[in-house]
Amino acid sequence: MNNSFKTRDRGGRDRFQKRSDRNYGGRKRFGGHIGGGAKRGRFHAKTISHDKFINKNPTAQIEAVYTPAHAFSDFGFHPTIVSNLAKKGYKNPTRIQDESIPHILAGRDVVGLANTGSGKTASFVLPIIEKLKKKQTLETALIVVPTRELAQQIQFEFRQFSDGMRLYSAVCVGGLNIYPQKKDLRRGPNVVIGTPGRLKDLINQRELRLENTTTLVLDEADRMLDMGFLPDVTFIISKLPVKRQSLCFGATITPEISRLLQKMLIDPVTVSVRTSETGEHIAQDIIRARTGEEKMQKLTDMLAQDDFEKVLIFGQMKHSVQKLADLLSKMGFPAVAIHGNKSQPQRQRALDMFKTGKVNILVATDVAARGLDIPNVSHVINFDPPNTHEEYVHRIGRTGRAGKPGQAYTFVG
Ligand code: ADP
Ligand code: MG
């Protein structure tokens, strides 16, 4: 493994990392989980019953049997969008796309609720591209997301879907030098995608001007508010024109979100295609291990099996996640880590190595892995158990995406 992954944070800490410290790391800082064995792992069994981690009869994924009411060609998209969709291999809309796109195209405010991996990104990106292309004005869109990686991923998809259409985007996220982002903004992008803290800074510095921003998207709204971003999100919304279209996507609506939505949406349509909360299509099981050594032994036994092709391992804390990746690499299982103590370029590099298959093991904290779409993850392993059922479902949702089978294992004491 590359040594640079072992270096500590190089000062790329920003608002988001501080918040995540406070809201996640901080709360849980009670002792090393990884390798800590049963003695220290006092968190787990208490909060979630072990049978929630077991599903021996996965059902076929819902999307696989869904018959959409529309074909992509029914939406009246610009021909370039249609051909970009074909290039990307999208044949039919997923259910959330099928049911939300017509409302978004009609200009309505929309709340879209759907399980993770169900295609929410295209649900808002495609109509935004259509709207921007059609109007050919100065109007712009702002997409607010909880993590930097998610911002980059959405930009990537935006570029694929709008290829050849002369629409431009800028990513404004913490942990990266702000000056190139200011430069990007001065070029007048059609779409700005960013995390709340950095967006707020850029607004305060008068670099990001929102008077022409007539479309707002909050993606992973539930996660965003979980992470303590409500004040920043509220601030950003207050700077937008009142006359705008607002879209909100996520997996659930909490009372906090519902209060925010009441203030920010006008006569919204709610499209809820959420199915089970349990990741029914993902095969799930627990693995019992009493000591740290036993855990490592069982983990490496699994990783040595052929079918563990692309494995995402979740750990509780930043330093323990790094330690586990280093240890696995030393033991002959090349692994990279993403967590909040890494600079953004380091995180992106680790993620790219995993995405492109240069390494087949990624060890991550919950915060770092939020919302990521990594194709073909064969297994999710919860080396440290999650704190809530919601978090569990979110973690295992990184596998079994887009109609593919997936497997998840959770270590318990
Ligand atoms: P969500 O935001 O709901 O978690 P994503 O938008 O990240 O889900 O999509 C999950 C995966 O499904 C991505 O790899 C995406 O490219 C793929 N996908 C989305 N829509 C379609 C579609 N209509 N046809 C085929 N694949 C799709
Ligand atoms: Mg998403």
Side-chain angles (χ1 to χ4, degrees):
M1 198 180 72
N2 191 312
N3 272 334
S4 70
F5 290 121
K6 290 181 189 160
T7 58
R8 298 218 31 223
D9 176 29
R10 290 210 208 109
R13 295 165 65 81
D14 69 346
R15 206 173 288 272
F16 162 55
Q17 280 177 328
K18 283 185 216 136
R19 280 177 199 286
S20 65
D21 277 348
R22 199 174 338 125
N23 290 337
Y24 288 87
R27 232 197 292 143
K28 294 166 199 162
R29 203 174 291 276
F30 52 79
H33 261 278
I34 283 176
K39 191 167 49 124
R40 289 200 216 150
R42 58 182 153 116
F43 223 139
H44 44 97
K46 274 194 188 156
T47 37
I48 311 171
S49 130
H50 288 174
D51 22 298
K52 294 263 192 222
F53 299 144
I54 302 173
N55 174 18
K56 298 209 167 155
N57 296 305
T59 55
Q61 202 175 22
I62 305 295
E63 291 298 346
V65 293
Y66 175 69
T67 313
H70 306 92
F72 279 120
S73 55
D74 296 340
F75 296 130
F77 285 137
H78 189 282
T80 313
I81 298 181
V82 177
S83 77
N84 288 341
L85 276 166
K87 258 194 260 166
K88 198 158 152 73
Y90 284 20
K91 292 196 179 70
N92 287 302
T94 65
R95 187 156 171 208
I96 183 75
Q97 292 161 4
D98 196 33
E99 296 187 11
S100 65
I101 288 175
H103 296 297
I104 304 177
L105 286 172
R108 297 285 301 269
D109 282 2
V110 172
V111 180
L113 301 176
N115 294 42
T116 171
S118 57
K120 292 189 283 297
T121 318
S123 305
F124 59 84
V125 168
L126 297 173
I128 286 177
I129 296 171
E130 178 67 24
K131 186 171 166 184
L132 293 171
K133 192 67 201 165
K134 212 171 189 172
K135 296 214 168 167
Q136 294 285 15
T137 60
L138 293 172
E139 288 182 32
T140 62
L142 176 68
I143 302 173
V144 187
V145 300
T147 67
R148 311 156 185 176
E149 283 83 3
L150 186 55
Q152 253 131 6
Q153 187 178 301
I154 292 175
Q155 182 184 47
F156 181 74
E157 293 196 45
F158 171 79
R159 285 181 172 158
Q160 288 184 320
F161 290 130
S162 65
D163 190 27
M165 298 179 79
R166 306 171 133 268
L167 291 172
Y168 302 97
S169 57
V171 163
C172 299
V173 295
L176 290 179
N177 192 326
I178 198 165
Y179 295 102
Q181 295 176 9
K182 290 182 181 175
K183 242 171 88 187
D184 286 348
L185 290 177
R186 284 175 203 158
R187 289 156 74 180
N190 305 89
V191 178
V192 174
I193 308 157
T195 48
R198 178 57 62 91
L199 290 171
K200 185 182 171 196
D201 290 346
L202 287 161
I203 293 169
N204 281 333
Q205 295 181 33
R206 316 197 114 260
E207 296 286 350
L208 175 59
R209 319 203 48 121
L210 298 174
E211 52 275 8
N212 295 318
T213 305
T214 50
T215 311
L216 167 71
V217 180
L218 301 184
D219 189 24
E220 301 252 351
D222 38 353
R223 304 277 150 198
M224 205 138 56
L225 298 198
D226 262 6
M227 291 162 74
F229 280 134
L230 180 62
D232 290 350
V233 171
T234 311
F235 171 84
I236 294 166
I237 294 173
S238 75
K239 301 291 172 190
L240 288 163
V242 179
K243 200 166 173 297
R244 60 162 195 266
Q245 182 176 24
S246 307
L247 310 170
C248 175
F249 281 84
T252 41
I253 291 224
T254 60
E256 202 183 16
I257 297 183
S258 154
R259 275 196 297 277
L260 174 72
L261 294 184
Q262 268 169 21
K263 280 187 270 171
M264 86 173 227
L265 302 177
I266 298 170
D267 187 24
V269 185
T270 299
V271 178
S272 177
V273 301
R274 237 174 105 84
T275 47
S276 70
E277 293 187 21
T278 49
E280 276 175 358
H281 64 291
I282 299 164
Q284 301 156 56
D285 210 348
I286 52 169
I287 295 176
R288 293 191 185 275
R290 300 213 158 273
T291 63
E293 293 91 81
E294 199 185 343
K295 256 174 128 176
M296 274 317 282
Q297 185 60 50
K298 291 198 167 165
L299 177 65
T300 49
D301 284 351
M302 283 196 279
L303 294 176
Q305 291 170 29
D306 282 348
D307 59 326
F308 282 69
E309 283 170 3
K310 196 163 180 178
V311 185
L312 178 54
I313 303 176
F314 281 97
Q316 196 78 61
M317 294 189 299
K318 299 167 189 173
H319 64 271
S320 54
V321 157
Q322 186 65 60
K323 244 169 68 186
L324 180 60
D326 292 346
L327 187 61
L328 286 173
S329 301
K330 261 194 228 138
M331 294 171 80
F333 300 96
V336 287
I338 53 171
H339 52 75
N341 273 355
K342 273 193 169 171
S343 70
Q344 187 53 23
Q346 287 174 321
R347 279 163 69 161
Q348 197 60 45
R349 200 158 132 228
L351 191 61
D352 289 345
M353 286 176 76
F354 184 62
K355 272 193 165 177
T356 56
K358 289 203 182 77
V359 294
N360 295 319
I361 303 168
L362 176 68
V363 192
T365 54
D366 289 298
V367 173
R370 193 141 290 172
L372 294 182
D373 178 46
I374 304 165
N376 306 322
V377 171
S378 62
H379 293 78
V380 167
I381 298 177
N382 294 309
F383 196 76
D384 294 324
N387 293 304
T388 61
H389 186 59
E390 205 65 34
E391 203 66 75
Y392 175 70
V393 172
H394 192 74
R395 284 182 179 188
I396 66 169
R398 306 299 97 200
T399 180
R401 289 170 81 76
K404 300 216 169 71
Q407 282 182 29
Y409 290 102
T410 303
F411 276 97
V412 297

